[in-house]
Amino acid sequence: MTRDLPTPTKPFKIGTRGSPLALAQAHETRARLQAAFDLPEDAFEISVIKTTGDRIIDRPLKEIGGKGLFTREIEEALLTGEIDIAVHSMKDMPVLQPGGLLLDTYLPREDVRDAFVSPHAPALADLPAGARVGTSSLRRRAQVLVAYPHLEVVEFRGNVQTRLKKLDDGVAACTFLAMAGLNRLDRADVATAAIAPEVMLPAVAQGAIGIERRADDHRAAEMLSALHDTQTGQRLAAERAFLAALDGSCETPIAGLAELSGGTLRLRGEILRPDGSECLSDDQSAPIEDGADLGRAMAAKLLSQAGEGFFDWRE
């Protein structure tokens, strides 16, 4: 075990975004590190870093640069040594990290499901034609339009609190949040209903917290090894290989979920056109150790089914 443990006079710095959910995830990471090494809370310092994605909330992510907008400034602080580790929602993470950084620690995964949130209806199926569905997610937008083409989808960005206020203001009849985020905020009561993956396949890595570090920081590597959840890592290896082989940005509606049973990994994947005109999906299983290969093979299969022009709308 490392002897170079942090102290209140030389704290271990944890970088995070400043939203209530991001802070809850950073606090969970700190609590787990405290418990693992029997350290006081003030041996850690939580450093809030505002990202471009947090500053620009009135435009779709795909118009301003995609997933990296929630990580760029934090990763810069990590590379310069301003912070020791960075805590991320894995569904926001690009599949490639900047040179010199590693993302190889995952906390135990939370609920993967999407939450349906509405003061007007118990489920999407109960909304009348023309009702407005608020979401900033291309995946959720496309999935709604595939199943309910009679509904209207409107742009709906912001953190949990912002989106709930928009609902109160009548901007939309419903929205979606991640059950994992609501659970971490102790706000599961906000969900009108949790949506089964069979109805709405979640985003790749939804519900997982990842911790990023400098590749040459051996102290951080040793400390984080005490937190890593192997099963979450195995599931994300398959899901993120699937994502990487397809696209991996916020510009393509992609869903994916890996689950473990004994020594077997089951992977479900989905790609969609944003207007809901086409949805291609697959469901396969393989030994856990072959999860990443399965993800890549599933991506190749769906791409071959999609054929030329499936993603031309991005141009």
Side-chain angles (χ1 to χ4, degrees), residues 167-281:
L167 280 186
D168 290 340
D169 292 343
V171 175
C174 72
T175 190
F176 305 101
L177 295 165
M179 280 303 307
L182 293 176
N183 290 341
R184 290 185 174 117
L185 290 169
D186 197 24
R187 292 299 312 275
D189 59 293
V190 165
T192 304
I195 306 174
E198 290 73 23
V199 176
M200 180 176 276
L201 197 65
V204 163
Q206 186 157 304
I209 295 173
I211 306 175
E212 193 174 24
R213 63 177 174 86
R214 288 183 295 278
D216 60 359
D217 189 339
H218 302 297
R219 180 183 73 154
E222 192 171 350
M223 291 180 67
L224 292 179
S225 68
L227 304 190
H228 180 62
D229 185 73
T230 299
Q231 290 194 343
T232 299
Q234 291 167 334
R235 295 171 69 185
L236 264 56
E239 292 177 28
R240 282 172 63 79
F242 173 70
L243 183 66
L246 286 168
D247 180 352
S249 73
C250 273
E251 296 184 28
T252 306
I254 297 169
L257 178 63
E259 296 169 298
L260 306 181
S261 178
T264 300
L265 179 144
R266 176 193 181 191
L267 179 64
R268 284 176 279 177
E270 190 174 86
I271 58 174
L272 311 98
R273 290 186 186 267
D275 62 2
S277 61
E278 192 171 3
C279 173
L280 299 172
S281 61

Side-chain angles (χ1 to χ4, degrees), residues 57-127:
I57 61 171
D58 59 348
R59 292 161 60 193
L61 290 178
K62 63 185 180 64
E63 290 183 6
I64 55 176
K67 292 188 178 185
L69 293 170
F70 291 118
T71 60
R72 189 176 304 136
E73 289 86 351
I74 296 175
E75 289 176 330
E76 288 171 357
L78 191 54
L79 285 167
T80 61
E82 180 183 334
I83 56 175
D84 294 301
I85 59 172
V87 180
H88 302 286
S89 291
M90 283 304 300
K91 71 185 182 71
D92 292 333
M93 289 300 289
V95 290
L96 297 176
Q97 278 61 62
L101 298 183
L102 285 179
L103 182 57
D104 58 1
T105 301
Y106 306 114
L107 301 187
R109 196 172 192 175
E110 246 284 2
D111 194 330
V112 301
R113 296 174 296 175
D114 286 306
F116 174 74
V117 183
S118 174
H120 305 290
L124 266 174
D126 298 301
L127 290 172

